[in-house]
Amino acid sequence: MTQRRSFLAALGSLPVVGLGMGWAQAATGDASHNMMNMGAATSVTSVKLAAVDALPAGTALKGLVKLANTSGQAGLFRASLVAAPVNVPLLAGAPTEFWAYNGNLPGPLIEVVEGDTVEILFENRLPQATTVHWHGLPVPPEQDGNPQDAVAPGSKRLYRFTLPVGSAGTYWYHPHPHGSTPEQVYRGLAGAFIVRAKVDPLKDIPERLLVISDLKLGADGRIAPNDANDEMNGREGQFALVNAQRQPVLPFDRSGRERWRLWNASSARYLRLVLPGTGLTLVGTDGGLLERPIKGLAELLLAPAQRAEVIVDAGSNKSRVQLVAAPYQRGKMGTVPAETQLSLLTVDFSQVEGLAQKPLPAKLARINELGRPAVKKRVVFSEKMSMAGGQHEMKFLVNGKQFDMKRIDLVSKINQVELWEIANESDMDHPFHIHGTQFQVIEREMDGKVTPEAYRAWRDIVNLKAGETVRIKLVQRFKGLRMFHCHILEHEGAGMMGQLQVV
Ligand code: C2O
Ligand code: CU
Ligand code: CU
């Protein structure tokens, strides 16, 4: 693509010494010149990282801590959530300061039933402003933790919303303040949110909750700041953790079958999940169950912020098998290490009694086709190299612009079906996300070839490969302000985000 070429050409004309430390430094020959307008927590050079085996591995997988419901009233979930620094002893001698919800890593699981009203009293004990965004949930805009609704350090606010019947699914919550979302998430602020169905066709299958997150830990025991590569490609640490544990062991249920809910809560890491020798059946996406199970998956790609529900069958497996994230090429720029396979956890099938499995229900849920769109919108993701003040700068753009809190980029009518065409005119994958609603992917287009989506599903994240165009249908059911953006958090932070006003 032309932008890539101009980027490479610009790079080619520069002295390439020290490129591995981030090409900005090579470009300017001056480490104090920062190529991007990055936050204070960013350095051009990388800090020394802790060794990849510095954290213990092989401990038994822990469940998620649940956020306690203090309401005695049916249909009301009431709880409080505090964001604050917490010290965790990870490396000998130097505790690691995380930022966490209620001191938990990951944040406590919020579990409600569709139809419930949720009241969460939130308190910000961080040194900076924050918000709580209910990723994927159909909550009113003024309750959705928009960057405009910052909660100042030391203050509180009540989030209140009702989750309609039909919203059962696998969601999460994380901060969304202006500018500092990447830092607040990589410091540990993120938690799982499950909306349970009143009638669940898979309720008899033992469930496993797996929140996969990223940790980039300095050798000094501190959470490492972003370097130039992180700012450009999105941050990836040396650790991919499951429920905040490194390579835990999951004792597989004796029945030989489990239902896994998986969250990719990392800033930028793509998870191409493979569990060798084991049958994976996809039963749900971000916004709930599919219409029918999809059997025989060899792998499952979870883009950043994406979730899935899968049925895992032990089959004839009796031993230990590693769940891995296989290498995935997403078009990273600059000088970055080659993609390698990461081990996420070990599944221990030794307790399985090898009982014959009942067939899964043929029908899981009803997903209504959204109908004929009344309008069409187009969103273009692009990247652009520019020179500002003698420094190279990579810009990540939506429809040619960087995010501006004071600008409305698109306007939608409430309750109207829209077709959104999202085009990735950059050279890197970008996961598209929109607030406030779930959408249906209709088709994907690559090199002029249009592929209709194979099945209907509710999603709030769809990955776009370089050069790909995806068409989705959606409806917004509340008036107000919504964000849409790339969910590689460093890109979002750098302005790859737009605002939708629903009228
Ligand atoms: Cu997961 Cu705009 O967010
Ligand atoms: Cu969101
Ligand atoms: Cu992106």
Side-chain angles (χ1 to χ4, degrees), residues 41-87:
T42 301
S43 63
V44 171
T45 50
S46 314
V47 300
K48 188 174 185 306
L49 298 183
V52 290
D53 58 358
L55 300 181
T59 51
L61 178 77
K62 294 188 193 124
L64 300 177
V65 172
K66 265 176 83 166
L67 187 62
N69 181 4
T70 61
S71 135
Q73 213 179 309
L76 176 65
F77 181 94
R78 182 181 281 149
S80 50
L81 208 53
V82 180
V86 57
N87 283 323

Side-chain angles (χ1 to χ4, degrees), residues 133-137 144 172 174 176 305 307 433-436 460-461 483 485 487:
H133 168 57
W134 312 102
H135 179 121
L137 286 162
D144 205 16
W172 59 308
H174 63 75
H176 220 300
R307 290 88 65 210
H433 170 57
I434 185 161
H435 291 193
D460 57 60
I461 291 278
M483 313 290 128
H485 57 90
H487 219 292

Side-chain angles (χ1 to χ4, degrees), residues 178-251:
H178 184 56
S180 36
T181 299
E183 182 188 5
Q184 292 190 8
V185 175
Y186 76 60
R187 290 193 180 280
L189 291 165
F193 195 128
I194 296 176
V195 182
R196 298 221 169 258
K198 288 191 169 146
V199 182
D200 183 344
L202 302 174
K203 68 170 188 322
D204 294 334
I205 304 172
E207 195 172 294
R208 199 65 84 164
L209 310 179
L210 304 171
V211 176
I212 303 167
S213 63
D214 185 88
L215 175 64
K216 184 171 181 179
L217 187 65
D220 59 0
R222 288 184 213 200
I223 300 209
N226 278 348
D227 62 20
N229 277 333
D230 295 327
E231 292 297 328
M232 191 156 48
N233 297 313
R235 174 188 179 95
E236 288 184 18
Q238 74 272 49
F239 301 110
L241 305 179
V242 183
N243 298 355
Q245 293 170 272
R246 175 177 162 243
Q247 296 172 12
V249 177
L250 182 162

